Amino acid sequence: AKSVVYVDQDGVEHEQEARVIVVSAGSIQSPRLLLNSTSNAFPDGLGNSSGVVGKYFMQHLSLFSEALFPDRIDSYRGFNGGATSQDFAKTQANQSFARGWQTDLHNGIIGPVQMAKQAHLWGKPLKDYMRRNFGHVAGLLTIGEQLPDERNRVALDQEVKDEYGMPVPRITFELRENDQSMLVAMERKLKEIYDAAGAVKILKMGIRPGGGAHNMGTCRMGNDPTTSVLNSFCQSHDVSNLFVVDGSCFVTGGTANPSLTIHAIAARASAYIVAEGRKMNL
């Protein structure tokens, strides 16, 4: 890889040469950049000899819920997050699906304005509702491990282009059979927890695709160049001075926020780039 072509805020195109090029645009925009960077050597996208750039897109299965409790607990006063349980994170023999989920406690309602907006009431009914229920809400959410699936992917949209004439990313994302079975079990378990905790009413319970903002996969890491895009240092199998350092290198999603793992992988890749650069191997 010789250089990066970019457009500045005034619309002027520039070309920046570099010994090493690091792409860190996330699991949607990183594969988009690679797929848009075609040449005679890489007609299907830069670093895409394996054909898997953009494939195996993953998100966490985020089931958000809130419940009403008889006692005033004022959970809105504390931090949004709380206790975490990974009791159901591993594959269990009595379940019809693989892997599992993490359960997080959260305060459910950020403040009075949010609760009032969710009530869809006005006037005296709203005031009565708020006096009766505000401060009585807490919530649970899940971080479910979605299995990697080749059909879930980021590709280029050949009809829609951005202001620079480049195809925008086209995301194909569906909840597959394993995901759907896990979501049923998640909802059942959250209802059991609320019941054991004495909740009197569940205010909401529903899946929010993308709600956790945990996008992963699409430039997967691996030892085999025919089935992966990057090696263990986030280095392209095809182009030695090209690195993709973000959540797109993930092969599985796990049951936790991926941010700290992305930080660790970035530190590892950076140390490798410095060491190999000093040896003039890049």
Side-chain angles (χ1 to χ4, degrees):
K2 173 192 171 188
S3 61
V4 174
V5 176
Y6 69 95
V7 178
D8 67 19
Q9 60 185 1
D10 297 319
V12 179
E13 186 175 288
H14 301 269
E15 182 175 2
Q16 176 63 57
E17 295 187 358
R19 279 178 58 195
V20 176
I21 294 174
V22 180
V23 178
S24 294
S27 296
I28 296 174
Q29 294 294 341
S30 283
R32 179 203 179 196
L33 285 169
L34 296 182
L35 292 172
N36 269 308
S37 301
T38 58
S39 65
N40 290 334
F42 296 101
D44 299 320
L46 183 61
N48 193 27
S49 66
S50 63
V52 298
V53 169
K55 296 182 179 179
Y56 301 100
F57 177 62
M58 297 174 288
Q59 293 184 333
H60 279 134
L61 303 177
S62 303
L63 186 65
F64 288 80
S65 67
E66 297 168 4
L68 202 60
F69 292 84
D71 298 324
R72 186 174 180 108
I73 51 181
D74 286 342
S75 62
Y76 70 95
R77 292 181 180 271
F79 292 108
N80 182 53
T84 292
S85 168
Q86 291 200 337
D87 289 359
F88 311 106
K90 295 181 180 180
T91 300
Q92 301 177 53
N94 62 338
Q95 299 287 7
S96 61
F97 53 86
R99 309 305 297 146
W101 67 90
Q102 173 178 300
T103 305
D104 287 359
L105 179 68
H106 67 97
N107 59 18
I109 297 293
I110 302 301
V113 174
Q114 181 185 358
M115 187 166 188
K117 289 173 68 176
Q118 290 183 189
H120 301 292
L121 299 172
W122 188 253
K124 187 178 185 301
L126 175 60
K127 292 179 180 179
D128 292 342
Y129 176 86
M130 293 296 290
R131 291 190 182 104
R132 185 171 62 250
N133 297 326
F134 184 67
H136 293 253
V137 177
L140 294 167
L141 64 87
T142 63
I143 301 178
E145 181 173 347
Q146 182 183 45
L147 298 185
D149 191 300
E150 186 178 6
R151 295 169 294 179
N152 290 340
R153 59 183 298 182
V154 175
L156 297 181
D157 193 314
Q158 298 304 321
E159 297 180 3
V160 182
K161 297 184 179 181
D162 65 13
E163 62 268 38
Y164 306 109
M166 293 176 60
V168 302
R170 186 178 189 275
I171 301 171
T172 300
F173 179 84
E174 293 183 23
L175 298 177
R176 307 298 175 177
E177 183 178 353
N178 198 79
D179 307 329
Q180 293 171 354
S181 297
M182 189 186 299
L183 283 167
V184 171
M186 284 179 184
E187 184 170 340
R188 181 173 62 248
K189 186 56 65 175
L190 293 189
K191 288 179 178 178
E192 290 176 5
I193 294 172
Y194 280 132
D195 185 59
V200 295
K201 182 181 180 181
I202 294 178
L203 298 178
K204 74 175 185 180
M205 175 90 69
I207 180 73
R208 282 172 51 189
H214 301 166
N215 297 324
M216 300 164 288
T218 69
C219 294
R220 57 186 357 219
M221 180 186 289
N223 293 325
D224 187 349
T226 66
T227 58
S228 62
V229 181
L230 310 171
N231 67 13
S232 61
F233 297 100
C234 296
Q235 182 181 25
S236 166
H237 289 305
D238 295 341
V239 184
S240 62
N241 69 332
L242 174 67
F243 294 76
V244 182
V245 186
D246 53 35
S248 60
C249 72
F250 281 40
V251 179
T252 57
T255 59
N257 187 314
S259 297
L260 293 180
T261 304
I262 293 172
H263 287 195
I265 288 172
R268 172 184 167 89
S270 299
Y272 177 81
I273 291 171
V274 171
E276 291 300 292
R278 286 173 175 167
K279 298 175 186 176
M280 301 302 293
N281 290 335
L282 296 176

